[in-house]
Amino acid sequence: MDTRSLTILEYDKIIHDLTALAHSTPGADLCAALQPSSDLETVLLRQAETDDAVKLILEKGVLPLGGISEIRPAVHRARSGSVLAIHEFLRIAAFLHAVDKVRLALPDDGPGSRVVYGLVAQLRPQRALKTRLDECIAGEEELHDSASSQLASLRRRIRQAQVDVKESLQRIVRNQAKALQEQLVTLRGDRYVVPVKAEHRGSIPGLVHDTSASGSTLFVEPLPIVELNNKIRELMGLEREEIERILIELSGQVADSADLLVANANILAELDFLMAKARLALKQQAMMPQVNDEGRIFLQAARHPLIPKDRVVPIHFELGIAFNSLIITGPNTGGKTVALKTCGLFCLMAMAGLQIPARDGSQVSVFEQVLADIGDEQSIEQDLSTFSSHMRNIIQITEKAQPRTLVLVDELGSGTDPSEGAALAISILDYLRAHGCRTVATTHYKELKGYALNTPGVENACCEFDSETLRPTYRLLIGVPGVSNAFAISSRLGLSGEIIGQAKLLLSDEGLRFEELVSAIEKSRVEADRMREEVTRLREQARAEQQRLERERLAWQEKSKAIVQQAREEARELYELAQLEIEELLEQTRTAMNEQDVFARHHAVSAGRQKARSGRSRIEGEIGRATLSAGAGERPEQLVVGQTYYAPALEMTGKLVEGPDNRGQCILQSGAMKVSVPAEGLRVPGSKSVDTGDWNGAGLSGTASRSGRGGRRLSDAGSKDSGEKGRSGTSQGKITLNRTMTMSTEIQLLGQTVEEALQTLDKYLDDAVLAGIASVRIVHGKGTGALRAAVSQYLKRDPRVKTYRLGTFGEGDSGVTLAELK
């Protein structure tokens, strides 16, 4: 890759930022050496590694890579037989601790396809070497006493000898205080001495090791102490020999583990390098681009990473899709050069495996060469003008031009006569296009705008200029030629209007019309962009409103379920209350039966049953109201025969076949079953309707018709079923419904006593009412007439019976009683 172009596109600044994010010197070295690759497979692998590291940081945080030093040179020296210094062992020990920390941070059971997990799994802890170094190394230049038993013994003897020397010297200090300059014990070299006044030299015989600068103080080693100092010196020599032996031993252990140490060092350096790339991506809010080698560049909301976030303006950029050459025009300081550098820098970053600060879906191509000529390199020393310096760079670019080359040229053809410069620029663009290059050039020449309009594969672009504020917006507009806005900018800066007006007169009519046309196109595009943004805003607003309504619908649905559940709980409580009332009625009935004659007893039983039914109807009304309050559906404005309605109390959907009558009752049919329900209890069917298949599952078949009070009893069964069992139906309800399907309109009382017959008749009438039978035939026979009289007397008092009579000829005569039920 061309080194000069890397510098021009400021790739070196990106690498500087990357290196600063590394935790270790080896990782920083890898960052500093990172170069773009022109091989697609290599680039894809690098991008996958960076993306994996980004995901790891977001999931687990940054790996604990602090405190890692470069140990590989020391390891190589140990392998060659050299003895390492104590501080080198200290760094190796810290490195081994770092290996253990990283291994603990990411266990082996991580995802197998993840690059970082794979690298961490390759680390091989060396616990024996780490333990030995921890036992021996105390600091940069110190070993622990526990490094060996011999070293511990020598140091104990040295400390004891030093104590003996100090005690002897302290006695001399106390006894010869007048001869001493100060009452203290000090060291000269490695020997203990006392400071003696020069005039009292003879008072303390011994060896003079030093004098003060003034000569008034002599540092004397008293003769009684010489032997003790010699002993300390001898022990220290033995200590140094033992330390040397320990260092040789440790160097040998490092040499034995050299391969593993170097492998671990390489892995940790690679991990630090990956973490630095990931941290840079997160810092820049970057994403992994789609990479190709076909010259396609498509950048969405691309932000130059070296411009502060509060100042950078995202741009949209494309090249190599519908066109291979892009001519960018517009005013100075409008953002042309930034767009040029953004394109080149993003390609270099992607080729190096770095993520780019752009929107998801952005594409970048891999190139063999990225060649750039940006900036003014005029030099007085080298006798280079602006034009000459540019032309020298252009010559080098044309010599390297080939397919899979990205060429970026700023102010192409500038620095010379405009007509010649424009012609030369067009010729250079044609040459690069013919050699298969992807080219981006900036210019002020209107001839190049016309060239882009008339040449296939070449497109115009401009940096937007706000005509109202007379300031650039720095947005790049593809497909629109730009104008330099020299007159507008000059006017804003304060140039005389007379001068500007005269300048406009000097423009050719054709050039003026072209500039006006371009300005009109740009204004139309600005308006179109504004409308598109408004449509996008409204679409997002509508989507947000739709999501809000959906959330509210789900919330109401949950609230409705809770209300229905509460209603069912209340229904269950009502049924329990009804059960208690029934038990009281039964108890009262039993008491009455024990005290009255047979007719009175049976009348009491019938009255009790009637009271129970009344209580049941009252409770059903409570349940119906509770269910309706739970939102079982909307009440119809008008009932229409033939329409389908939902009865919440029965949890049943059916067709209205009759009603409402003068009592407000309607006949609702579901399949073969007809039930009577109150008109106010019907609702328009909706989400609360239930499938009638559950009723069929209860044994409904055939063509039997049920109505009247039977419907109310079925309502009771359905309501209780709804409150306790949901839609499945209770076993009691199934038995009742099956009984109604097999109910006979005739009952035989022959051969029974009066009391037995009346009990059988009472139960039969209950079942007949439940089944909705309008008339029944009671066979009691002629006999003595006692049973016939008892039946007649019983029917006369029974509130369930509308009318009754004896049978006529052909109906069974006086042996049969026919009764019509209410």
Side-chain angles (χ1 to χ4, degrees):
M1 199 63 63
D2 183 64
T3 305
R4 178 179 168 278
S5 295
L6 293 179
T7 303
I8 289 175
L9 295 173
E10 300 178 290
Y11 176 79
D12 56 324
K13 295 182 180 179
I14 298 296
I15 295 301
H16 179 270
D17 290 346
L18 175 66
T19 303
L21 294 173
H23 283 106
S24 66
T25 300
D29 291 342
L30 289 179
C31 293
L34 180 62
Q35 290 289 316
S37 172
S38 59
D39 179 66
L40 179 61
E41 294 300 323
T42 301
V43 172
L44 291 174
L45 177 61
R46 288 178 173 182
Q47 287 289 342
E49 291 173 347
T50 305
D51 189 58
D52 179 65
V54 170
K55 291 177 180 176
L56 178 71
I57 291 179
L58 294 176
E59 294 171 3
K60 303 284 188 178
V62 180
L63 290 177
L65 297 168
I68 300 175
S69 302
E70 177 60 271
I71 66 165
R72 286 172 291 191
V75 173
H76 290 312
R77 289 198 301 104
R79 184 157 50 185
S80 65
S82 299
V83 178
L84 302 183
I86 296 177
H87 69 271
E88 292 175 310
F89 288 116
L90 185 65
R91 287 169 175 74
I92 293 173
F95 173 83
L96 294 175
H97 281 281
V99 170
D100 287 348
K101 289 180 181 178
V102 174
R103 287 283 293 174
L104 289 174
L106 289 186
D108 292 335
D109 57 355
S113 61
R114 298 283 287 271
V115 177
V116 177
Y117 277 92
L119 287 173
V120 172
Q122 296 176 34
L123 290 172
R124 294 292 177 265
Q126 294 158 280
R127 293 182 176 83
L129 178 59
K130 184 189 71 171
T131 302
R132 181 59 179 149
L133 291 176
D134 288 344
E135 291 174 350
C136 296
I137 308 302
E140 286 282 340
E141 298 295 336
E142 184 181 359
L143 294 183
H144 284 299
D145 292 355
S146 58
S148 73
S149 57
Q150 179 65 16
L151 181 62
S153 175
L154 287 171
R155 286 182 172 175
R156 281 195 303 272
R157 293 168 63 188
I158 289 172
R159 286 192 292 270
Q160 185 59 50
Q162 289 171 340
V163 170
D164 294 341
V165 168
K166 289 179 181 179
E167 289 178 351
S168 298
L169 288 174
Q170 287 296 336
R171 286 193 296 269
I172 293 174
V173 168
R174 288 193 299 271
N175 297 332
Q176 301 289 340
K178 293 182 179 180
L180 299 178
Q181 195 76 6
E182 293 180 78
Q183 295 186 15
L184 57 83
V185 177
T186 184
L187 282 171
R188 282 297 181 269
D190 55 356
R191 303 184 74 86
Y192 287 93
V193 296
V194 291
V196 179
K197 296 177 181 178
E199 59 271 22
H200 294 281
R201 168 68 183 84
S203 300
I204 302 177
L207 304 177
V208 177
H209 287 278
D210 196 6
T211 60
S212 64
S214 62
S216 60
T217 302
L218 304 177
F219 294 94
V220 178
E221 178 185 8
L223 289 178
I225 307 303
V226 171
E227 186 61 31
L228 291 175
N229 275 333
N230 288 341
K231 181 180 179 182
I232 292 173
R233 191 169 218 178
E234 178 184 351
L235 291 173
M236 286 183 173
L238 294 175
E239 180 191 26
R240 284 192 294 272
E241 291 177 5
E242 180 62 17
I243 290 174
E244 185 69 15
R245 186 195 66 78
I246 293 172
L247 295 180
I248 292 172
E249 173 203 333
L250 295 177
S251 298
Q253 292 184 18
V254 170
D256 293 340
S257 303
D259 291 338
L260 288 178
L261 287 170
V262 171
N264 285 344
N266 293 336
I267 292 171
L268 287 185
E270 182 69 19
L271 288 171
D272 193 15
F273 171 57
L274 292 179
M275 290 294 105
K277 292 199 296 181
R279 293 172 66 197
L280 180 66
L282 294 172
K283 177 183 177 182
Q284 296 177 347
Q285 298 179 345
M287 47 72 65
M288 182 174 71
Q290 301 174 17
V291 183
N292 64 83
D293 60 355
E294 300 171 358
R296 297 193 310 276
I297 301 175
F298 181 69
L299 304 177
Q300 302 184 81
R303 296 167 281 110
H304 196 289
L306 298 178
I307 299 177
K309 293 179 181 179
D310 58 341
R311 290 172 47 202
V312 66
V313 177
I315 65 170
H316 296 271
F317 186 94
E318 66 174 274
L319 182 69
I321 301 174
F323 49 86
N324 294 333
S325 299
L326 185 65
I327 310 299
I328 305 177
T329 53
N332 289 326
T333 69
K336 301 190 302 296
T337 304
V338 172
L340 205 65
K341 286 188 172 183
T342 300
C343 170
L345 182 59
F346 274 33
C347 289
L348 294 175
M349 290 175 64
M351 292 160 65
L354 301 176
Q355 296 189 354
I356 60 174
R359 189 182 299 164
D360 284 340
S362 296
Q363 300 180 41
V364 174
S365 178
V366 173
F367 294 98
E368 290 286 349
Q369 290 284 340
V370 176
L371 305 174
D373 175 40
I374 301 173
D376 187 0
E377 296 183 6
Q378 62 178 327
S379 171
I380 296 176
E381 291 83 0
Q382 299 181 28
D383 193 24
L384 289 176
S385 65
T386 299
F387 177 77
S388 299
S389 65
H390 279 299
M391 191 50 57
R392 186 180 67 174
N393 296 333
I394 293 296
I395 292 171
Q396 294 177 357
I397 289 174
T398 55
E399 290 174 348
K400 298 177 181 179
Q402 60 180 352
R404 294 192 65 199
T405 299
L406 176 63
V407 178
L408 307 169
V409 184
D410 192 23
E411 302 293 350
L412 181 59
S414 64
T416 187
D417 178 76
S419 59
E420 292 182 359
L424 192 58
I426 291 173
S427 180
I428 292 170
L429 290 172
D430 278 336
Y431 179 88
L432 295 174
R433 189 164 58 89
H435 282 72
C437 299
R438 300 292 188 268
T439 306
V440 184
T442 67
T443 184
H444 288 283
Y445 295 145
K446 62 178 180 294
E447 291 86 351
L448 267 67
K449 304 174 190 177
Y451 167 77
L453 289 172
N454 299 319
T455 307
V458 184
E459 185 59 271
N460 271 306
C462 72
C463 288
E464 186 180 45
F465 186 83
D466 191 333
S467 58
E468 295 182 1
T469 63
L470 300 179
R471 293 180 182 276
T473 65
Y474 306 105
R475 294 174 57 197
L476 184 67
L477 310 176
I478 304 293
V480 180
V483 293
S484 296
N485 293 291
F487 295 154
I489 294 174
S490 299
S491 177
R492 180 172 62 85
L493 294 176
L495 186 64
S496 169
E498 180 182 354
I499 296 175
I500 295 174
Q502 183 62 30
K504 289 182 178 179
L505 295 175
L506 296 177
L507 281 177
S508 65
D509 292 341
E510 180 182 354
L512 190 59
R513 284 196 301 272
F514 180 80
E515 294 294 324
E516 291 175 350
L517 176 62
V518 170
S519 297
I521 292 174
E522 185 168 350
K523 288 181 180 178
S524 299
R525 185 212 53 77
V526 169
E527 180 62 21
D529 283 351
R530 187 191 65 77
M531 295 179 65
R532 183 169 56 251
E533 290 174 357
E534 179 67 14
V535 169
T536 301
R537 184 186 66 79
L538 291 175
R539 185 183 295 114
E540 292 297 326
Q541 185 176 348
R543 184 181 295 111
E545 184 66 15
Q546 182 182 10
Q547 293 174 351
R548 184 187 67 80
L549 291 175
E550 178 63 17
R551 288 193 299 269
E552 288 186 0
R553 186 187 69 81
L554 294 175
W556 276 110
Q557 199 173 57
E558 292 299 320
K559 185 177 181 181
S560 176
K561 290 180 180 178
I563 293 174
V564 170
Q565 181 63 29
Q566 181 181 358
R568 288 176 174 171
E569 293 294 333
E570 292 176 358
R572 185 178 295 110
E573 292 176 2
L574 288 172
Y575 272 114
E576 291 175 355
L577 178 61
Q579 185 68 32
L580 292 175
E581 291 181 5
I582 290 171
E583 293 296 334
E584 285 184 19
L585 286 173
L586 290 175
E587 184 62 30
Q588 293 172 6
T589 302
R590 292 190 191 98
T591 301
M593 290 177 67
N594 291 332
E595 297 174 353
Q596 300 176 11
D597 60 19
V598 62
F599 292 107
R601 287 199 300 270
H602 284 292
H603 179 71
V605 170
S606 297
R609 292 182 186 274
Q610 182 63 31
K611 190 173 182 182
R613 282 194 294 270
S614 299
R616 184 183 293 268
S617 298
R618 176 176 57 80
I619 294 172
E620 285 172 358
E622 296 288 342
I623 295 173
R625 284 189 291 274
T627 306
L628 293 177
S629 67
E634 296 181 359
R635 178 178 295 180
E637 295 181 0
Q638 182 178 2
L639 294 176
V640 180
V641 175
Q643 294 293 324
T644 300
Y645 296 98
Y646 173 56
L650 300 178
E651 287 196 351
M652 169 184 167
T653 301
K655 184 180 293 184
L656 182 66
V657 295
E658 293 182 22
D661 58 17
N662 56 2
R663 295 182 300 166
Q665 294 292 316
C666 300
I667 304 300
L668 195 66
Q669 181 173 0
S670 177
M673 181 179 67
K674 293 182 180 179
V675 294
S676 175
V677 294
E680 66 180 12
L682 293 180
R683 294 293 181 266
V684 176
S687 60
K688 300 296 181 181
S689 301
V690 297
D691 190 351
T692 57
D694 289 339
W695 292 94
N696 293 332
L700 288 176
S701 61
T703 58
S705 172
R706 310 175 225 347
S707 60
R709 265 180 300 194
R712 286 190 290 274
R713 294 294 297 270
L714 286 174
S715 172
D716 176 64
S719 298
K720 186 172 182 180
D721 182 26
S722 168
E724 298 180 359
K725 299 292 184 179
R727 295 169 53 186
S728 61
T730 63
S731 59
Q732 180 181 355
K734 293 181 179 180
I735 293 172
T736 302
L737 290 172
N738 281 323
R739 181 169 66 246
T740 63
M741 295 301 301
T742 59
M743 185 71 187
S744 173
T745 59
E746 179 181 289
I747 182 172
Q748 295 283 343
L749 301 179
L750 297 174
Q752 299 183 23
T753 65
V754 170
E755 187 171 353
E756 291 173 344
L758 293 181
Q759 288 180 354
T760 302
L761 178 60
D762 183 67
K763 184 176 182 302
Y764 172 75
L765 292 178
D766 266 348
D767 291 342
V769 170
L770 179 64
I773 297 175
S775 62
V776 296
R777 185 170 182 265
I778 305 169
V779 181
H780 42 69
K782 298 179 180 179
T784 62
L787 185 56
R788 179 180 68 244
V791 169
S792 176
Q793 186 71 16
Y794 184 83
L795 294 178
K796 181 178 181 180
R797 298 179 181 179
D798 197 314
R800 294 169 292 184
V801 179
K802 184 177 182 181
T803 61
Y804 66 95
R805 62 179 175 82
L806 290 174
T808 60
F809 180 78
E811 293 178 331
D813 293 331
S814 61
V816 172
T817 298
L818 301 177
E820 183 180 349
L821 303 180
K822 291 181 180 179

